[in-house]
Amino acid sequence: MAFSLSGLITEDLAIDLGTVHTFVAVRGRGIVINEPSVVAIDRSDGEVAAVGNEALELLGQNPEEVELYKPMEDGVITDFDLAAKMLALYIRKARGGRSAFSRRVVLGVPSDITSVERYALFQAVQAAGANRAYLISKGYLAALGADIITGDEHASMVVDVGGATTEIAAVTRSHLICSRSIRKGGLDLDSAILEHIKRYHNLLIGSRTAERVKMELACALPISKLNTAALEKTKIRGQNLVRFVPEMMTITPNEIHNAIEPILREIINAVRSFLEDLSPEVGGDIHSRGITLTGGGSLLAKFDERIANELNLKVKTAKNPRESVVHGANAVFENPLLLRRFSRQSS
Ligand SMILES: Nc1ncnc2c1ncn2[C@@H]1O[C@H](COP(=O)(O)OP(=O)(O)O)[C@@H](O)[C@H]1O
Ligand SMILES: [Mg+2]
């Protein structure tokens, strides 16, 4: 018979509910959801109509009827109720309608989450039908997913640069030694670019244009330190704020570098002060092993080199850095000792 009790229970789910992007992986099947962290709200009744790509599609089709929200965008979970609903819908979607509940869910959480927020997320995961919810620090999961944790008890360090936050963590095989979360990330680079172009060129550009400029032109090192590679310019289109007409202009990598520099400095200073606060043993381990960057923001050109130069450490960017947290969350299921440890901490 096709129907069986086990068919009602889907596999374990690993979730990275990012400020910009959500990933869900099913144990044994890999990543099944890779979508923006947005929800569409039906204006008529205030209910969640869709999440992720579907929410964007819905907005495209019925711009009058739905409104788009990004419940996580400020780094803290700005709207908790919405974040919980988004989480529940993503869990349902990951199951593909195949079952009523999942056995276990591992969810990456920022290290500065409050106990009230932690409890609310925990409840949301359980309300979405999970038997057990494990809420684990994103820093720890990023390190696990980037595969930098050693078999011995030596420390490793990871800097996960997300959309709205950067999570800095030192970990060993068995635990998170310490972590820190700052409210700066890739979105702040976009805003800095947007503000710069508005202020110095009287041109208002959209946030998507700012992000594209960042991906195409922004570089963490001053251009004078590079060879000719990054000398190309890029064209941007926006609204002239003096003449109120659409306008196209050319910008250079150097300008963009200067525009994002204050944000980069803040992130680097946070990493520096984190390093200074480490115990001598842990600091020694990090000095010999270096730092690994994860998160989408770590894809900024030359970011690893810049941090390495400033902090005099080896720095490398993880392979597929945007997926490190979800891979780490998935890897927890393969380690019964870790699950036992985190189940004591998270319930
Ligand atoms: N190639 C790239 N260069 C620079 N920034 C990038 C690149 N790809 C993605 N990003 C940035 O990464 C950020 C999102 O990272 P992600 O880890 O998905 O965030 P979160 O975990 O907070 O959802 C965005 O600000 C995005 O612009
Ligand atoms: Mg991330």
Side-chain angles (χ1 to χ4, degrees), residues 67-83:
E67 199 165 346
L68 212 61
Y69 279 95
K70 300 177 178 174
M72 323 275 297
E73 196 164 276
D74 287 340
V76 270
I77 305 176
T78 334
D79 185 327
F80 226 89
D81 192 38
L82 268 189

Side-chain angles (χ1 to χ4, degrees), residues 16 23 138 141-146 158 160 293-295 318-329:
D16 172 13
F23 287 99
K138 279 192 182 186
L141 296 179
L144 197 61
V158 72
D160 183 83
L293 306 184
T294 62
K319 211 166 83 189
N320 302 322
R322 298 173 69 227
E323 298 168 9
S324 302
V325 171
V326 74
H327 285 317

Side-chain angles (χ1 to χ4, degrees), residues 235-247:
K235 281 201 166 63
I236 49 169
R237 197 190 295 273
Q239 179 85 358
N240 184 300
L241 288 169
V242 179
R243 289 180 286 120
F244 300 102
V245 288
E247 191 180 272

Side-chain angles (χ1 to χ4, degrees), residues 84-323:
K85 284 185 178 150
M86 180 168 79
L87 180 62
L89 279 173
Y90 270 130
I91 291 176
R92 196 176 305 157
K93 213 166 172 179
R95 292 194 197 115
R98 287 196 297 131
S99 75
F101 58 98
S102 305
R103 281 196 301 164
R104 302 178 295 185
V105 170
V106 168
L107 176 69
V109 292
S111 61
D112 64 350
I113 190 172
T114 65
S115 55
V116 174
E117 289 174 332
R118 177 178 272 274
Y119 186 70
L121 276 180
F122 191 75
Q123 295 272 305
V125 175
Q126 291 213 318
N131 276 7
R132 294 195 68 84
Y134 304 87
L135 269 47
I136 304 180
S137 150
K138 279 192 182 186
Y140 184 83
L141 296 179
L144 197 61
D147 211 13
I148 57 168
I149 298 183
T150 55
D152 51 35
E153 278 299 314
H154 284 297
S156 318
M157 181 166 153
V158 72
V159 177
D160 183 83
V161 188
T165 60
T166 293
E167 188 87 16
I168 309 167
V171 308
T172 67
R173 179 173 55 144
S174 58
H175 71 288
L176 176 75
I177 303 167
C178 53
S179 64
R180 197 171 292 170
S181 183
I182 60 158
R183 302 267 157 85
K184 283 286 174 285
L187 289 166
D188 298 283
L189 301 179
D190 304 350
S191 311
I193 292 171
L194 193 147
E195 282 302 320
H196 171 92
I197 291 171
K198 191 161 123 191
R199 181 153 169 214
Y200 294 99
H201 299 285
N202 280 323
L203 189 72
L204 185 64
I205 59 168
S207 52
R208 283 227 298 280
T209 304
E211 186 183 37
R212 177 178 63 82
V213 168
K214 171 181 72 178
M215 290 176 175
E216 286 176 10
L217 275 197
C219 181
L221 285 174
I223 309 304
S224 58
K225 294 222 166 127
L226 303 172
N227 0 7
T228 50
L231 283 179
E232 79 243 43
K233 299 172 175 177
T234 220
K235 281 201 166 63
I236 49 169
R237 197 190 295 273
Q239 179 85 358
N240 184 300
L241 288 169
V242 179
R243 289 180 286 120
F244 300 102
V245 288
E247 191 180 272
M248 184 107 109
M249 62 161 291
T250 305
I251 39 166
T252 66
N254 236 335
E255 286 197 66
I256 299 304
H257 170 79
N258 294 338
I260 63 170
E261 178 61 16
I263 312 289
L264 297 183
R265 187 146 292 288
E266 255 187 87
I267 295 175
I268 295 167
N269 285 343
V271 176
R272 181 183 286 117
S273 96
F274 181 87
L275 280 166
E276 284 166 1
D277 292 345
L278 293 174
S279 73
E281 288 82 25
V282 175
D285 282 350
I286 306 304
H287 271 97
S288 59
R289 311 203 42 224
I291 299 177
T292 299
L293 306 184
T294 62
S298 71
L299 290 165
L300 176 72
K302 307 280 179 190
F303 205 9
D304 43 6
E305 226 176 294
R306 169 74 188 273
I307 301 177
N309 292 350
E310 293 234 2
L311 303 179
N312 216 359
L313 277 172
K314 278 181 287 187
V315 181
K316 67 170 173 32
T317 307
K319 211 166 83 189
N320 302 322
R322 298 173 69 227
E323 298 168 9

